Amino acid sequence: MSDMTSHADAPRSPGRPRSSRADEAIIDATLNLLAEGAKIDTLSIEAIASRAGVGKATIYRRWPGKEALLRDALAILKGTPPTPIGRSVREDLVLLLGAVGRNTDPRSEKIMSCLLPEVNRNQDRYELYQGVVEPRRARVREVLERGVRTGELRADLDIELALALLTGPMLIQRVLRWHPELDDDVLAERVVDGVLEGIQPR
């Protein structure tokens, strides 16, 4: 199972060893309930525990509350972003952008399509979403910052704006299927090349 980074390193009191099988059951129960149409606001620890076949105390030994559990469940749903190779900014950006909005878990489309409308209406949902996407955004940011240091990109580059210029087209195309004539197979390369044209040294 994917690493649950937000709670895995937290100190635990002595007692019964934690079961990875229970961890997986709780995460799967959370994602399955969401994919089946459960609303985040009304999703309860009781319902998750019942679906997972564990007691509520088992969940609270692992997560301090529902928001922390949701953050880990959604991070696992999204998967680990690719690791940049480091040979060139272009190559790494194409690799990272190729993963934007793409997920092999069939539950992802159902869950994220329900979460996204809540992002602008609910501060908790906004923070939850940001907690999920920031690690992926950080990978792209690191590549851009490296490019500035190596001289592949302009010294005065606005990193955060470049992030938006790169990821925005990928998200709108893959999440909303905005333009049917765009070839998804080469979309990441075309976006990267188009943005690099403006942010490389002149």
Side-chain angles (χ1 to χ4, degrees):
M1 186 182 70
S2 300
D3 182 28
M4 299 178 194
T5 55
S6 69
H7 71 280
D9 296 328
R12 298 173 57 243
S13 58
R16 183 183 302 172
R18 196 165 87 186
S19 165
S20 61
R21 184 174 298 175
D23 286 2
E24 292 175 5
I26 293 164
I27 291 292
D28 274 340
T30 303
L31 294 175
N32 285 336
L33 287 167
L34 290 172
E36 290 164 12
K39 303 296 183 184
I40 290 179
D41 285 342
T42 57
L43 181 64
S44 67
I45 293 294
E46 288 84 355
I48 295 169
S50 176
R51 174 64 69 90
V54 302
K56 288 196 301 179
T58 301
I59 295 178
Y60 284 119
R61 279 198 296 269
R62 291 157 169 77
W63 292 274
K66 186 175 77 171
E67 292 297 321
L69 170 55
L70 286 170
R71 187 165 55 250
D72 277 353
L74 292 173
I76 288 168
L77 177 71
K78 294 291 286 181
T80 303
T83 300
I85 299 168
R87 286 193 291 253
S88 74
V89 165
R90 182 188 183 277
E91 183 178 17
D92 287 342
L93 289 177
V94 170
L95 175 70
L96 292 169
L97 262 64
V100 171
R102 179 171 283 169
N103 196 296
T104 57
D105 191 318
R107 297 172 296 189
S108 181
E109 185 174 353
K110 295 178 181 177
I111 293 172
M112 297 309 292
S113 64
C114 293
L115 172 62
L116 291 177
E118 295 293 320
V119 168
N120 289 328
R121 294 199 293 259
N122 184 301
Q123 183 64 25
D124 289 339
R125 299 295 84 79
Y126 175 78
E127 292 175 2
L128 176 64
Y129 175 74
Q130 290 298 322
V132 172
V133 301
E134 176 54 31
R136 312 175 88 79
R137 196 161 47 213
R139 291 276 176 97
V140 181
R141 185 182 292 115
E142 289 165 6
V143 171
L144 294 173
E145 290 172 344
R146 190 190 77 218
V148 171
R149 290 195 302 271
T150 61
E152 292 175 80
L153 302 177
R154 288 164 42 182
D156 63 347
L157 177 64
D158 184 329
I159 298 289
E160 300 308 312
L161 180 59
L163 265 170
L165 292 171
L166 287 162
T167 57
M170 299 300 300
L171 283 170
I172 196 171
Q173 183 63 19
R174 288 194 170 156
V175 175
L176 299 179
R177 300 173 187 172
W178 183 75
H179 198 314
E181 299 303 320
L182 289 176
D183 184 351
D184 190 72
D185 290 338
V186 295
L187 182 61
E189 292 182 47
R190 293 182 64 188
V191 169
V192 168
D193 288 341
V195 174
L196 284 179
E197 189 70 24
I199 65 177
Q200 289 174 325
R202 297 187 184 281

